[in-house]
């Protein structure tokens, strides 16, 4: 076992009200992000992998080797069988995963599926920028049962402001063509769109541009930032809520539509949590983190969004060739992210919406002074958005009760 597994992220022990008791058992991992290629064919200026604090991508092999794939498949199967998991989710990621090539992608999926055997169902998805998504890839994904998510930031001008090729040309036209093929010919593989919020874009125009490809789901992402490096347009102090102000008109349009146009993951998760349910992502709620990232060199890491905090933030010191995923679960930083409210800052634990907010995305809590023991840099935005959603639901329920 690596000697680094006793280190707390940022060198700071999180402020928790109670450490796990001796009999405490972690939740097994069920989601594995496999970085099959570490480079990209776009140069997006907001990318947390290439443009933010952790620049370790430069030292990674460009493409994951077959040996690392074999070790990863074995470790996933070992973990799933040991914990009796009925299914696991494999997410093919990058960089840009399609740069790995069709044969290598097929080898990775088949290796994991074969290692798991018939008793564990393998769900596979792939997140791509869409630049290389064509008929041949979609035929392969149809054969392998791989669902495809595509990154799109709205209309042409809005998308191309950030998501550019290395030579500066925009990517919207190419991505739109790929989305047309995906949505028209292979709708059963279409997982949805990922859109990074840009305050310079009109929210409703962005939403309507995304709807044009008929996505089954839209995932709006807040730009990665923290207290040391605040996100664009968000001052570190002052209580401004520009991101909530941007998202609320979309929520009102989505929630009030006569027919559901698509699922918006952020809004659906807030609604589920308000009603006592669970979240589908690590961005909200108090559910345990159950995801690990495997880099192209076989290193096992926490969520790669932590690359936005400081160099080495996602590292665990573990490697698929020598360490089990059960060992990863005992890394203090991983355990901390399974402790729910006990791992949050005091001001979060005392907040009335903490069951929904959950302290926000872990990476967004970072400050260079005390690590991750803080509220989210998006705290005010999350509070305003969640209470707005709650208010809409409460008014609707009251109206229904009055009409009985």
């Amino acid at each position: 076992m690596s000697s680094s597994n006793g280190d707390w992220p940022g060198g700071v022990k999180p402020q928790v009200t109670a450490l796990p008791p001796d009999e405490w058992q972690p939740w097994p991992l069920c989601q594995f992000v496999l970085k099959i290629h570490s480079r990209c064919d776009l140069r997006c200026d907001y990318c947390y992998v290439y443009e933010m604090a952790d620049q370790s991508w430069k030292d990674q092999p460009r493409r994951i080797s077959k040996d690392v794939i074999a070790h990863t498949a074995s470790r996933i199967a070992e973990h799933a069988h040991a914990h009796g998991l009925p299914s696991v989710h494999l997410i093919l990621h990058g960089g840009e995963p399609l740069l790995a090539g069709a044969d290598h992608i097929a080898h990775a999926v088949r290796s994991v599926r074969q290692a798991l055997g018939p008793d564990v169902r393998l769900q596979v998805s792939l997140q791509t920028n869409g630049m290389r998504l064509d008929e041949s890839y979609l035929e392969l994904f149809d054969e392998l049962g791989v669902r495809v998510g595509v990154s799109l930031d709205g209309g042409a001008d809005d998308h191309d402001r950030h998501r550019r090729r290395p030579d500066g040309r925009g990517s919207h036209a190419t991505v739109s063509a790929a989305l047309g093929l995906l949505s028209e010919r292979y709708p059963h593989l279409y997982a949805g769109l990922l859109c990074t919020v840009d305050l310079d874009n009109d929210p409703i125009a962005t939403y309507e541009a995304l709807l044009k490809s008929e996505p089954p789901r839209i995932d709006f992402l807040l730009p990665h930032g923290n207290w040391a490096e605040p996100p664009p347009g968000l001052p570190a102090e002052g209580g401004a809520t520009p991101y909530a102000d941007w998202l609320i008109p979309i929520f009102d349009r989505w929630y009030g539509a006569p027919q559901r146009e698509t699922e918006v993951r952020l809004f659906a998760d807030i609604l589920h949590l308000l009603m006592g349910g669970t979240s589908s992502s690590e961005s909200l709620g108090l559910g345990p983190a159950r995801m690990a990232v495997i880099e192209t060199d076989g290193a096992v890491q926490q969520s790669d969004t932590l690359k936005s905090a400081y160099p080495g933030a996602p590292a665990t010191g573990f490697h698929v060739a020598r360490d089990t995923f059960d060992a990863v679960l005992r890394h203090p930083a991983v355990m901390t992210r399974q402790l729910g409210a006990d791992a949050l800052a005091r001001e979060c634990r005392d907040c009335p919406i903490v069951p929904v907010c959950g302290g926000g995305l872990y990476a967004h809590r970072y400050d260079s002074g005390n690590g991750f023991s803080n509220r989210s840099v998006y705290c005010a935005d999350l509070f305003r958005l969640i209470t707005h959603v709650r208010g809409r639901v409460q008014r609707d329920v009251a109206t229904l009760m009055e009409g009985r």
Side-chain angles (χ1 to χ4, degrees):
M1 184 179 295
S2 168
S3 61
S4 69
N5 76 332
D7 296 336
W8 296 89
V12 178
K13 184 175 181 179
Q15 299 168 0
V16 296
T17 56
L19 291 173
D22 292 340
E23 67 274 12
W24 179 80
Q25 293 296 319
W27 289 79
L29 302 173
C30 60
Q31 191 175 74
F32 301 90
V33 178
L34 187 61
K35 299 279 189 173
I36 58 176
H37 204 283
S38 65
R39 303 300 193 267
C40 192
D41 47 3
L42 290 183
R43 189 169 291 170
C44 306
D45 56 18
Y46 56 61
C47 182
Y48 62 90
V49 174
Y50 303 108
E51 301 296 333
M52 301 191 80
D54 187 309
Q55 291 290 297
S56 58
W57 65 271
K58 297 176 181 178
D59 300 321
Q60 287 290 335
R62 285 182 174 268
R63 192 171 77 162
I64 194 170
S65 70
K66 289 188 176 181
D67 282 345
V68 170
I69 290 173
H71 287 304
T72 301
S74 177
R75 293 299 184 193
I76 292 174
E78 172 186 53
H79 193 71
H81 295 148
H83 294 278
L85 300 178
S87 66
V88 297
H89 186 188
L90 179 70
I91 303 169
L92 303 177
H93 211 270
E96 169 49 46
L98 298 188
L99 288 171
D103 290 345
H104 213 60
I105 291 171
H107 176 75
V109 173
R110 289 169 178 150
S111 294
V112 177
R113 186 165 279 142
Q114 182 177 10
L116 286 170
D119 295 332
V120 182
R121 183 168 64 94
L122 179 66
Q123 300 171 273
V124 188
S125 61
L126 179 144
Q127 184 65 38
T128 176
N129 61 30
M131 294 295 290
R132 295 168 183 265
L133 188 63
D134 59 14
E135 184 81 37
S136 62
Y137 268 121
L138 289 169
E139 287 178 356
L140 174 65
F141 297 153
D142 195 18
E143 176 189 341
L144 295 173
V146 176
R147 302 194 73 215
V148 181
V150 180
S151 298
L152 185 72
D153 285 351
D157 291 342
D158 297 341
H159 175 93
D160 287 343
R161 184 181 303 117
H162 301 288
R163 301 188 64 81
R164 294 180 172 274
R165 306 168 195 253
D167 63 5
R169 290 181 298 143
S171 60
H172 186 272
T174 300
V175 178
S176 294
L179 278 169
L181 182 62
L182 175 62
S183 62
E184 293 169 14
R185 299 279 303 278
Y186 299 88
H188 56 292
L189 300 181
Y190 193 4
L193 297 176
L194 186 155
C195 174
T196 299
V197 174
D198 184 344
L199 297 177
D200 289 335
N201 297 340
D202 179 85
I204 297 301
T206 299
Y207 180 61
E208 291 178 345
L210 298 176
L211 288 176
K212 289 180 179 179
S213 71
E214 301 182 343
R217 185 173 78 178
I218 298 172
D219 203 350
F220 286 109
L221 296 187
L222 298 172
H224 292 305
N226 51 62
W227 293 104
E229 295 288 339
L234 186 65
E237 299 295 339
T241 60
Y243 286 91
D245 297 341
W246 195 93
L247 287 163
I248 284 171
I250 301 178
F251 171 78
D252 288 341
R253 156 72 186 270
W254 173 80
Y255 182 77
Q259 294 182 328
R260 183 56 45 86
E261 296 166 308
T262 187
E263 178 184 332
V264 177
R265 185 180 189 180
L266 175 62
F267 304 152
D269 279 349
I270 291 173
L271 289 170
H272 292 159
L273 289 161
L274 284 169
M275 297 175 187
T278 59
S279 173
S280 65
S281 78
E282 62 176 350
S283 299
L284 294 170
L286 294 169
R290 302 181 63 185
M291 181 263 288
V293 177
I294 300 93
E295 288 283 359
T296 55
D297 66 353
V300 181
Q301 297 195 343
Q302 304 173 72
S303 172
D304 58 350
T305 60
L306 292 171
K307 293 177 184 289
S308 63
Y310 61 88
T316 66
F318 294 110
H319 192 282
V320 290
R322 65 172 182 267
D323 301 303
T324 67
F325 284 119
D326 273 13
V328 174
L329 287 174
R330 292 295 178 176
H331 186 286
V334 177
M335 285 197 299
T336 296
R337 299 185 66 197
Q338 293 204 350
L339 292 179
D342 286 339
L344 299 181
R346 170 61 66 183
E347 57 190 325
C348 290
R349 297 199 300 270
D350 294 339
C351 179
I353 66 162
V354 69
V356 181
C357 169
L361 188 70
Y362 194 66
H364 297 167
R365 305 174 201 169
Y366 178 71
D367 186 17
S368 55
N370 62 343
F372 298 92
S373 297
N374 309 286
R375 60 195 176 98
S376 169
V377 73
Y378 286 107
C379 176
D381 288 281
L382 292 171
F383 190 91
R384 173 158 161 68
L385 175 62
I386 291 167
T387 53
H388 177 84
V389 173
R390 183 179 63 188
R392 284 291 304 266
V393 173
Q394 288 175 337
R395 289 193 294 274
D396 282 356
V397 171
T399 300
L400 287 172
M401 295 301 291
E402 289 173 2
R404 290 182 62 180

